[in-house]
């Protein structure tokens, strides 16, 4: 349980961390957020997360009333107040309280809160044996309506897909574009391994530009593994040698089965295993120090 929540410049106990019912983050999902990890007293890829937060805010015309440096300090201060070495950070900026209409200009002060809590991980079994996935019938939002590369508070699209996975009794599901291309999962990016190369869909097909995915791409370059960023359909997933998902909370998680089809010959496959090992090393040895 978190000890202190950052709320609009103050550190308050969780029971005092309350936002207005007129907040447009609550009324309309009008806001942006980030999920960030602390490993071993260091915040992993903090700059990248802040960059994505400010880009998302800019895309929805939301001016964050803190500079990036001030926001970075607010994050570090909140981790320190909670005295955790390993944690999950949820950083949220909403349009703020307004009236009951849509008009965001009525919201004069964005709400900023930061929650730092112990991370609840996927069960170890998922990493050892792999996940089962389904293909969701809910398609990923089209960029022409709400660009999935904006990490907004409006997650209903993903939640509807998540409900399908719950009904199917599996932990994650693949979301397709309206054209039938693989985009991502409800809260993770997807990679397939084919002929010792890794393939992941481009952000332009309708995905969130994942920071874990970017880390994997950088690691692949270091490891001499070719990366292809290109659109593909479910056939490529079904016939892949390996499939894995990436996300801040999930890290790198192997996939054993998709829509009842077994993936590859072993789970995790050798390439996925290499990424899991390298990722563990890099998360434990890099990042912005919290306590120095
Ligand atoms: N796609 C979606 C829809 C997500 O919500 C997330 C998790 N934030 C990701 C991908 C993975 O992104 P990241 O590696 O930055 O956590």
């Amino acid at each position: 349980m978190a000890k202190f929540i950052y709320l609009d410049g103050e550190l308050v106990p969780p029971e005092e961390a309350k936002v207005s019912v007129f907040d447009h983050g609550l009324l309309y999902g009008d806001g942006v957020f980030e999920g960030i990890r602390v490993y071993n007293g260091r915040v992993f890829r903090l700059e990248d997360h802040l960059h994505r937060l400010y880009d998302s805010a800019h895309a929805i015309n939301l001016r964050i009333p803190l500079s990036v440096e001030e926001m970075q300090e607010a994050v570090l201060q909140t981790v320190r107040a909670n005295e955790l070495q390993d944690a999950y950070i949820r950083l949220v900026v909403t349009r703020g309280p307004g009236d009951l209409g849509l008009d965001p200009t009525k919201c004069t002060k964005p709400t900023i809160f930061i929650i730092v809590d112990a991370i609840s991980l996927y069960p170890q079994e998922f990493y050892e044996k792999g996940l089962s996935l389904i293909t969701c019938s809910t398609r990923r939002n089209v960029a022409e309506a709400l660009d999935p590369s904006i990490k907004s508070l409006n997650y209903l699209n993903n939640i509807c897909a998540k409900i399908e996975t719950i009904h199917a009794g599996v932990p994650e599901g693949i979301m397709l574009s309206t054209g039938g291309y693989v985009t991502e999962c409800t809260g993770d990016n997807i990679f397939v391994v084919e002929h010792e190369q890794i393939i992941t869909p481009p952000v332009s097909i309708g995905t969130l530009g994942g920071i874990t995915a970017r880390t994997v791409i950088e690691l692949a370059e270091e490891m001499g593994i070719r990366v292809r960023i290109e659109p593909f359909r479910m056939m490529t997933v079904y016939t892949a040698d390996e499939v894995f998902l990436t996300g801040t909370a999930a890290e790198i998680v192997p996939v054993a089965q998709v829509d009842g089809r077994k993936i590859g010959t072993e789970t995790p496959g050798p390439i996925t295993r290499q990424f899991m090992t390298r990722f563990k090393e890099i998360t434990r040895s890099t990042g912005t120090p919290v306590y120095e």
Side-chain angles (χ1 to χ4, degrees):
M1 178 73 178
K3 288 188 194 155
F4 291 103
I5 312 287
Y6 174 101
L7 177 60
D8 295 331
E10 315 251 353
L11 286 166
V12 297
E15 59 279 9
E16 286 172 31
K18 295 187 175 140
V19 296
S20 164
V21 292
F22 290 98
D23 196 303
H24 280 209
L26 179 60
L27 289 174
Y28 296 117
D30 186 357
V32 293
F33 77 102
E34 280 298 319
I36 312 169
R37 286 286 285 272
V38 184
Y39 294 96
N40 217 358
R42 294 160 183 263
V43 185
F44 187 62
R45 303 250 158 164
L46 180 54
E47 270 175 35
D48 291 352
H49 283 285
L50 292 177
H51 200 248
R52 186 171 67 184
L53 181 81
Y54 280 74
D55 277 354
S56 292
H58 182 66
I60 66 162
N61 236 306
L62 167 60
R63 209 186 70 77
I64 300 178
L66 296 185
S67 67
V68 179
E69 293 71 29
E70 287 167 336
M71 187 66 90
Q72 161 150 340
E73 195 38 49
V75 170
L76 296 176
Q77 185 195 354
T78 314
V79 181
R80 269 183 230 122
N82 285 282
E83 299 177 277
L84 290 169
Q85 291 289 328
D86 293 279
Y88 180 81
I89 304 169
R90 175 57 57 90
L91 166 52
V92 180
V93 184
T94 79
R95 191 79 65 179
D99 64 18
L100 291 180
L102 289 179
D103 185 355
T105 64
K106 299 278 169 57
C107 309
T108 51
K109 189 172 166 285
T111 304
I112 303 177
F113 59 88
I114 305 169
I115 305 168
V116 176
D117 212 344
I119 169 93
S120 67
L121 298 166
Y122 267 161
Q124 189 54 29
E125 193 194 341
F126 287 0
Y127 298 91
E128 286 163 8
K129 296 196 179 134
L131 303 182
S132 290
L133 307 182
I134 56 160
T135 306
C136 299
S137 65
T138 305
R139 299 293 169 115
R140 193 72 176 100
N141 277 334
V142 290
E144 293 84 344
L146 176 59
D147 196 321
S149 66
I150 300 171
K151 197 164 168 65
S152 84
L153 289 180
N154 207 309
Y155 253 54
L156 259 188
N157 178 225
N158 312 60
I159 290 167
C160 289
K162 182 80 186 175
I163 290 167
E164 292 185 51
T165 74
I166 293 165
H167 286 161
V170 296
E172 254 294 14
I174 295 175
M175 299 180 76
L176 304 178
S177 68
T178 50
Y181 289 100
V182 172
T183 63
E184 59 185 338
C185 292
T186 67
D188 299 301
N189 292 109
I190 187 166
F191 285 79
V192 302
V193 180
E194 190 183 82
H195 310 305
E196 295 178 357
Q197 302 180 348
I198 59 171
I199 318 174
T200 195
V203 168
S204 59
I205 207 107
T207 73
L208 179 74
I211 285 157
T212 319
R214 195 183 313 154
T215 307
V216 163
I217 291 166
E218 285 170 20
L219 287 176
E221 281 158 6
E222 236 178 75
M223 288 151 70
I225 294 172
R226 180 157 174 240
V227 183
R228 286 159 50 197
I229 299 174
E230 58 190 45
F232 56 87
R233 294 180 184 274
M234 286 310 295
M235 181 64 177
T236 305
V237 176
Y238 296 147
T239 58
D241 298 323
E242 302 174 32
V243 174
F244 61 88
L245 310 183
T246 64
T248 295
E251 305 181 316
I252 298 176
V253 54
V255 174
Q257 200 175 303
V258 180
D259 296 330
R261 285 113 168 136
K262 188 178 181 316
I263 303 299
T265 49
E266 57 171 325
T267 313
I271 303 238
T272 307
R273 243 183 288 131
Q274 278 184 54
F275 280 115
M276 290 168 79
T277 306
R278 277 295 292 132
F279 189 76
K280 194 159 252 150
E281 286 164 7
I282 191 170
T283 52
R284 272 70 174 174
S285 60
T286 60
T288 310
V290 178
Y291 299 98
E292 283 165 23

